Amino acid sequence: MSSETIQHRHLPDRLDKPLSAALRSWETLLAVVAVAIFIFNSFASPHFLNAWTLSDMTFNFTEKAIIALPMALLIIAGEIDLSVAAILALSSTLMGFAMQFGLGTPALVCVGIIVGLICGAFNGALVTGLGLPSIVVTIGTMSLFRGLAFIILGDQVYKNYPDGFEYFGQGYVAWVISFELVLFLAFAALFGFLLHFTTFGRRLYFIGRNPVSAQFSGVNVKRMKFILFCLTGVMSGVASVLLTSRLGSTRPSIAQGFELEAITMVVLGGVAITGGAGSILGVVLAALIMGLVTFGFGLLNVPGIVMSIFVGMLLIAVIALPILWKRFVWVLKK
Amino acid sequence: MAQASTISKSAPALTLSGISKSFPGVRALHQVNLSLYPGQVTALVGENGAGKSTLVKVLTGIYQPDEGAITLDGKRVTLSSAQTAFELGITAIHQETVLFDDLTVAENIWLGHAPRKRFGLIDWAAMNEKARAVLAQMHAAHIAPETRLRELSIANKHLVAVARALSIDSRVVVMDEPTAALSAKEINELYDLVALLKSQGKAILFISHKFDEIYKIADRYTVFRDGEQVGEGHLKDTAQNELVKLMVGRSVDKVFPKHHAKIGDVVLSVSGLSHPTEFENISFELHKGEILGFYGLVGAGRTEVMKALFGMTKPSAGTIAMDDRPLAITSAEDAINAGIVYVPEERGAQGLGTGLPIFMNVTLPSLKRTSKSNVLRLKNEFDLARRYTERLDLRASSLSQDVSTLSGGNQQKVVIAKWLAMSPKVIILDEPTKGIDIGSKAAVHEFMAQLVAEGMAVIMVSSEIPEVLGMADRVIVMREGLVTAGFENKNLQPETLVRAAAGIE
Amino acid sequence: MLNTLLKSRESLLAAAIIVLIAAVATRFPGFAAPSSLAQAFNDTSILIILALAQMTVILTRSIDLSTASNLCFTGMAVAMLNKAHPELPIVVIIVVSLLWGLALGAFNGLMVWKVGIPPIVVTLGTLTIYRGLTFVLSGGAWVNADKMSPAFIEFQRQSLLGIPVLSWIALLVIAAFWLFLRNTKTGRDIYAVGVNPTAAVYTGIDVGRTKFIAFCISGLVSGLAGYLWISRYVIASVEVANGYELNVIAACVIGGISIAGGVGSVAGAMMGALFLGLIGLALPVINVSPFWQLAISGAAILVAIILNARGEKTKGRLILKRATAA
Amino acid sequence: AQAENLKVGLLVKSLGNGFFDAAHKGADNAAKELGDTEVIYTGPTKATAEGQIEIINSLIDQKVGCIAISANDPDAVVPALKKAMDRGIKVISWDSGVNEKGRLLHLNPSDTGLIGETIIKLAADYLPDGGEVAILSAASTAANQNSWIDAAKKVLPEKFPKIKLVDVVYGDDDSAKSTDVAKGLLKAHPNLKAIIAPTTVGVVAAAQVVTDAGLIGKVNVTGLALPSEFKKFIDNGASQAVALWNPIDLGYSATQLCHDLTVGKAEAKPGAELSIGKVGKIKLDDHNTAAMAPPFQFDKKNIEEFSKIY
Ligand SMILES: Nc1ncnc2c1ncn2[C@@H]1O[C@H](COP(=O)(O)OP(=O)(O)OP(=O)(O)O)[C@@H](O)[C@H]1O
Ligand SMILES: Nc1ncnc2c1ncn2[C@@H]1O[C@H](COP(=O)(O)OP(=O)(O)OP(=O)(O)O)[C@@H](O)[C@H]1O
Ligand SMILES: [Mg+2]
Ligand SMILES: [Mg+2]
């Protein structure tokens, strides 16, 4: 067979225009939802459109959202970490423990982050080393890590953190712009870059879609997953520094239920729970939406649990609508 | 022969007319017609992606056609679900093995129509008994109905799939590339089975890319091209090259192109490679510009050896050296860095990032080259992907198409393109043309010839003797985890290979 | 024979339970007394039936995070019904709890089946929705013991042949699940869908519908558990069983139910729940500090899943004669 | 409500708790009396500090005049409350206190020492020969419970030498968990004579466990209980007597204090004597803490009457 007889077909890069694809994307939908809630809030409460109010609002989500960022990568890679809140509690406890020995603020931050790293590495080692499903492993470690915090601290409290420590959770970079918000946005940019513009991020999608074939293509799946668990641990440590600083004290019961909220942000942000799809922009928008909903309703003194109905419905609706819409269009075409 | 023609005049058991089926962006079937006659085997041929498997899914109620009519025994039917099709007596052995690893053999056969006791409860004893009977009828009594399917070899799993199709009194049996995963002995048993079904008056649709077997067992043929039916007739009136022409739109004369690469120095030398359970003491040398064939029956352990060379499993002993330097390969990454790449046997599960676009699949191992200090450069990626996919004549709508929507053969091309882009020193092709149409097969072989001409070394694992004889310079035969023979491919006879593979002296 | 017995997950777990009981008994002999063990079974009954329901869902490669919220919502509903109409017979309460739970489970199932949302997402949503609705229904108020009728509270405590009704209910549910999962077409479909969904479609099983049924069962049982829970702890509030869904899943995991679907047995789920329940009951008895209990149960979960994974590792194909002989 | 109305945020540990609902009633009564005050009754669903902080932030932004908090954690809410004070909001704590830095004053429902003594006395009164008792508390972080338990431990050796405290366990104010730990107590201490639960949730759970275990008459349950919730167990004999203060008065007093502080009628400083409307007067100690009233005991004689009130 000679090559002249073959007419090579030209393969275009893509069929649809990037812009129209972007307009139809999940992120657009989320942005519309966020704007709608924002407008609703401004009409519903006279106190909403106020720089300080908006600034206070961000505290409702920044710490959870900081955990949601690495969680998004982890879920894209087909894993999950339910132990993040427990890591946060343990790392806060050990920070408090270290403080008793007179460590200064920078050292305490290191302790918090390193404890997070160790916990993450422990999860990662169990998942990648023994090949256990992460949901199962982290159900176990969520009890273990928080349990360790209880063993260390019992019914006691660590407080009187050193001067300067309160800045992380209570400080403002400028005017109403809090340190937590700036840190979150910086991390969001960093994770966005990592996921969407680097080879690391690209490989993540492959791992999420088909880990076996990724491995057969030379991707070191175990190492990458291990790194992701460590990253999630580290970011839980960072969140721990923020929360501990914001509360000014540590008890082993802090951050109860953070894991499900962080996961809700990730899923609402359009990250496929089955792995292999999702974006950081979506997660950021989802975090913002959750902040807008919880704080906006809070201003109206709607009980938190009623807001959670709203968040739950939003989660289901925002995921159901595109599916139903596509189906509707398909039926119309026929 | 007179008998055959009277049968063909008899009413068709099943008729499809004007069937169309589209997926977003792809027209898989367009106004196709097909008739299946009782007691006859109709072969369905066509290139990869011609729409054969799609038709099977329409026939078995898995897909609903966009338009067209299906008539069974003169009555119009709607196959609203797989269950309906099954109840109407249409059974299929699908291209992908679709069985349940964690259920028993008996359940795999009887799921959905299991024998019941009082209150509609499943009668396990009766189910096992009946399963035993069906398996015995197929000369597969060695498979115990109570074993978990997971414990069977791939060939035996396939027999279970066949047993399921036989477990009801079907009118129509569809087989989508049933022999692709079987070895010679099992293939012959399958042919006997087809003959048996034929004699029972069932209408059989047989899909295959192997022309010799089509001519051996089929009575009629239907050819698909790009989702359309382009011809049908009796096989005895039609020569093979006519069929190929119908299929491809041109003639393919050289499936096994002669290659005249200069065989050079040893690139890869393997000695004493062993694994605790899969293989032992594997030694061979691979030269520059050489195609080294690995022949054996399915399950001989060739894939495991290749996986060890590629760093996917850990050998317990032995050394691998490249260009006389020892290699420590502990991961696929190491192997790729050393210049060894592997086109795996199961392309869906092991070769593709399903759900991701073609270009990303192609560039995955080459990211280091297309990116700048780990930052992606999309333009480089598209260029690279286009270069290699077009060279392999990939059939796709764009480079951003999801690979899982490609046909089997085209998926294989994506996997090969991915590795060609790496310009490796040694390329291992494990069953490279399994399930690939004749045109693409020729293209793949042509490519292998080009590769060795460029100085690459190729290991080709194949269970098809014509392919081995047509392409390999040397052949190594494996049986039960051991190398049993090695041959120069000069006047090598098929029987020699078969004997060595089966262990007959 | 011994080998296969040792390998089977259920027997490993049974052994672990016996070891656990024996260990506790060395420090506190009364724990191993039949009456005490019967009591422990009774105490674990609700977890057992929830684990069975959860298993059914997990078998289909799904997960139901909303069980505890369903339990809470249904429990509140029947408690309020009882408060408003103390004269209603207990049968009515049970039927209402079953139907109420079924409706909530069916909603989950419909979202999964008809809309095609991943189960974990749907139930993550309904986890908060159902608990929120409990608040809306009750206006946030609790229903206390003195607002419940004696029949409502006492039903599960009555003894039948020396065994409390609650234990009988658990035994009945265990038997029903065993029969259902093993000997009915739908039961086998549930396994098939989990083992290989594609193959299930090709075999004519409606995967979505099967998942729907699994969610309905989960809802039904969670509803029943709602009544049992409320009448057991004699208080209905929005906080009932908060976070309990993870205990239920942990019980399944310990019981060797594969989170990837298709693998798991009634005996496994039952023993997983018993194991977890026993740890919770035993630790206070042998005077372990309350602050150690969480870490210990976490460690126990990890050990159990590591052992399970060991048991699951296949040995390879042994194609070598030498390896086969060895 | 007019715009000029003074807004008081009555922030409780969690919504739905009968005790706090009663306090809400009292707060509304006070608002009605005062006329120009509006009560925002709010609280998280789950009794956590994080939940309370989110609400504190929203109260700040709603520009309430005063926040009256019963805290889930005496320390963790301090920074948020400080922020509130920085923005000109008066902050007091009541029922479950907040660290001095985070509030102007704390209104104890009763005297801590007195409560500690009362809960032991309730058990001791029915144990003339002494015996083993155990405490079933709320969360291990609950400030008020912890201080009462400490006070109780202090008076034990001198005043009740025959009573032996064998265990302190925590039910986290969760009925299921409280039930389980109460069961554990009975198993671990076969000679237990009384369970003291200084929490309205725990006491009900413990009484139910004792009833179920058929130990009525053998193990006496006592502690702090709402009469309306607990009447059943006084009636069936699982408990001889319990104590509590009037939560309605507590809510009423907190609201009164808030109002007076905000309009400048009162100032929170050590030694100050403040009026709490019809309930009377309180005197602040060195830590700006004051007790409202001594605990009140309920038994067979009076439970019927009080169960109709709260
Ligand atoms: N689910 C799907 N979604 C989108 N496109 C599809 C889908 N299934 C099949 N196709 C497309 O339909 C066409 C026909 O595919 P089909 O699998 O029927 O080919 P085939 O003839 O069986 O090929 P092969 O010989 O390789 O098995 C191909 O272009 C394929 O990409
Ligand atoms: N019964 C089985 N159960 C699970 N995996 C199997 C089974 N049989 C084979 N495999 C795996 O599937 C792959 C291909 O199997 P195959 O039967 O082709 O054997 P093989 O080792 O590849 O031998 P060869 O390549 O010589 O045919 C191998 O990775 C093998 O480990
Ligand atoms: Mg096909
Ligand atoms: Mg192979």
Side-chain angles (χ1 to χ4, degrees), chain B residues 40-57:
Chain B
Q40 291 207 24
V41 178
T42 306
L44 178 58
V45 295
E47 286 183 282
N48 295 125
K52 304 181 295 293
S53 298
T54 305
L55 185 87
V56 173
K57 288 175 191 164

Side-chain angles (χ1 to χ4, degrees), chain B residues 302-317:
Chain B
R302 296 161 298 169
T303 297
E304 290 302 328
V305 173
M306 301 309 148
K307 276 159 80 179
L309 287 181
F310 192 57
M312 297 299 298
T313 52
K314 208 172 130 238
S316 55

